[in-house]
Amino acid sequence: MPVILIIVILFLSVYMTVNILYKYTNHYRNSNRDLESYRQGVPYGIRLANFGTTNSLYAFCAHKTLGVRSFNFALNCESVEFDVDILKHYANHLDKGCVVVLHLNFCVSMYRCNKLDESRKAWEVIPSKNRIYYSVWQLFMHFFPVAPWQYKKMARLLVDVENNQSEIYKYASENQSVKNAKIMTKGWLDLFSLHSLQSSDIGEKNRNEVSFNTAKVVEFVEFCRKQGFLPVVVCPPMGCDLNSYVSKEFVHATLGGIERKVREMGIPYFDYRRDERFQNELSLFIDGGYKLTHRGSMKYMKLLLADVQPFYGIPINNRTLNNIKR
């Protein structure tokens, strides 16, 4: 009996050590890069905050190079309703007069929290109980991401994969851009049960989700106003290959109501989806048309802040965004 107990203790010790070490590998961290800033701790005195889904995350991927007190709250596969939760949870980390950017696209207007598996966000983003669903097995895998039979994961302790942080400095070829646009479009069609991105007929279920998310955008904006923040609602740039699949009628059906509500509230609403400065320059997108590269992000953020400045009638630059006023 003592021998068996020793073997069990030894096995558990090795197993726990393997899991601890695996969490330091690129193989593990690559799929959760957007969570790392949360893990490191959200700072106080933020003067520029960004929220939104995947293309929003990359639209602000170069925010640290601006030299301002900023934070990128955006996450891969993110819903507006969870953005509202994040904003409220971290509101005391933002200074009055903070520029708060909420990025939207036609997909996020139809997306609801937990439509896809978002269990990885259940612990780091808002540590207290939140609306993210997860199973007992997913909870176990959060603490022990390597199951005893997953030898390939264990092998990553010896031979790791490349760090994907460098992807923001790379861009797709012309042929790859065309392929990526087709793949992304098919993914959205399947996810939202759509026939195409050319028609205004998005179906009753999607129309209901758009109405729900319109109300959530209004809630986001109203909360910003009450807190003394400066909200901005934006559609980030997309490349020409991806834009070729999307009609004005479809965009109106998915984003038209949100734009109307935001403008009625007197809040700036900018749409850069078809901005000519981003249509035919592949070096601005990692995938050809959805995720901005570091260079694309720098170009975009400068344009956005320049457009926000006259709307609110305040200078927006390194000095003013670092001028903390409590």
Side-chain angles (χ1 to χ4, degrees):
M1 189 67 175
V3 175
I4 296 176
L5 183 61
I6 291 172
I7 293 174
V8 170
I9 292 174
L10 181 61
F11 171 80
L12 291 176
S13 298
V14 172
Y15 180 62
M16 292 180 69
T17 301
V18 167
N19 275 277
I20 291 171
L21 293 176
Y22 176 70
K23 289 185 177 182
Y24 288 95
T25 66
N26 291 327
H27 189 262
Y28 174 78
R29 297 173 69 182
N30 280 351
S31 60
N32 295 284
R33 289 291 175 189
D34 55 336
L35 298 178
E36 289 202 351
S37 56
Y38 285 95
R39 289 170 178 165
Q40 293 165 6
V42 178
Y44 287 87
I46 297 171
R47 299 290 292 170
L48 175 63
N50 178 54
F51 293 81
T53 190
T54 307
N55 58 342
S56 175
L57 175 68
Y58 287 88
F60 261 59
C61 69
H63 72 101
K64 292 181 180 179
T65 61
L66 291 177
V68 304
R69 297 185 64 85
S70 57
F71 192 84
N72 195 350
F73 288 97
L75 294 164
N76 286 316
C77 186
E78 179 68 335
S79 64
V80 178
E81 56 191 302
F82 199 47
D83 272 329
V84 174
D85 292 348
I86 296 172
L87 172 65
K88 291 180 177 180
H89 183 80
Y90 290 104
N92 63 331
H93 290 248
L94 279 59
D95 275 347
K96 288 188 176 180
C98 175
V99 177
V100 180
V101 182
L102 174 62
H103 281 99
L104 300 175
N105 59 46
F106 45 80
C107 297
V108 79
S109 70
M110 298 180 288
Y111 186 77
R112 289 291 302 275
C113 191
N114 299 304
K115 188 175 180 68
L116 295 174
D117 179 8
E118 297 184 61
S119 57
R120 67 189 186 87
K121 303 176 188 176
W123 300 279
E124 280 88 1
V125 181
I126 301 178
S128 56
K129 185 173 175 58
N130 55 61
R131 68 176 72 237
I132 302 297
Y133 298 155
Y134 60 88
S135 64
V136 174
W137 172 248
Q138 287 169 330
L139 177 62
F140 176 82
M141 290 302 292
H142 170 67
F143 291 104
F144 302 101
V146 183
W149 57 85
Q150 293 178 317
Y151 300 111
K152 289 184 179 180
K153 283 187 177 181
M154 295 181 194
R156 292 305 177 186
L157 272 63
L158 301 174
V159 183
D160 203 358
V161 298
E162 183 182 353
N163 186 325
N164 68 354
Q165 281 185 317
S166 61
E167 71 171 347
I168 62 174
Y169 299 100
K170 301 175 182 178
Y171 57 92
S173 65
E174 187 174 343
N175 288 337
Q176 192 60 52
S177 174
V178 173
K179 291 179 182 178
N180 288 343
K182 186 176 182 179
I183 292 171
M184 281 186 278
T185 299
K186 185 180 185 306
W188 291 327
L189 293 176
D190 292 343
L191 180 61
F192 300 108
S193 302
L194 295 165
H195 298 296
S196 77
L197 305 183
Q198 295 288 325
S199 171
S200 61
D201 182 12
I202 60 175
E204 183 179 0
K205 179 175 175 56
N206 288 323
R207 283 195 297 271
N208 291 337
E209 306 297 24
V210 169
S211 296
F212 175 88
N213 283 313
T214 300
K216 281 296 176 180
V217 172
V218 170
E219 183 180 348
F220 186 99
V221 169
E222 287 180 339
F223 182 82
C224 284
R225 279 181 158 175
K226 290 177 182 178
Q227 298 298 314
F229 306 149
L230 306 179
V232 182
V233 180
V234 195
C235 296
M238 287 169 46
C240 62
D241 291 324
L242 193 53
N243 273 324
S244 67
Y245 285 92
V246 187
S247 72
K248 292 182 179 179
E249 292 76 16
F250 179 78
V251 173
H252 180 74
T254 53
L255 290 171
I258 294 176
E259 178 179 1
R260 184 174 63 256
K261 281 286 187 181
V262 170
R263 292 191 185 280
E264 287 174 357
M265 298 174 74
I267 299 301
Y269 182 98
F270 302 116
D271 189 347
Y272 299 97
R273 288 178 309 102
R274 294 182 177 273
D275 192 297
E276 288 298 327
R277 291 165 288 192
F278 293 84
Q279 292 309 289
N280 299 297
E281 195 169 349
L282 288 173
S283 65
L284 300 179
F285 294 94
I286 294 171
D287 52 5
Y290 191 63
K291 299 189 291 188
L292 288 171
T293 61
H294 186 274
R295 179 169 176 264
S297 173
M298 282 295 296
K299 180 175 182 177
Y300 167 64
M301 286 189 296
K302 290 177 180 178
L303 291 171
L304 173 61
L305 294 178
D307 287 341
V308 171
Q309 181 170 312
F311 190 96
Y312 281 115
I314 57 171
I316 297 178
N317 51 48
N318 289 15
R319 181 181 62 80
T320 57
L321 288 179
N322 278 302
N323 181 21
I324 304 174
K325 298 178 181 179
R326 292 191 179 277

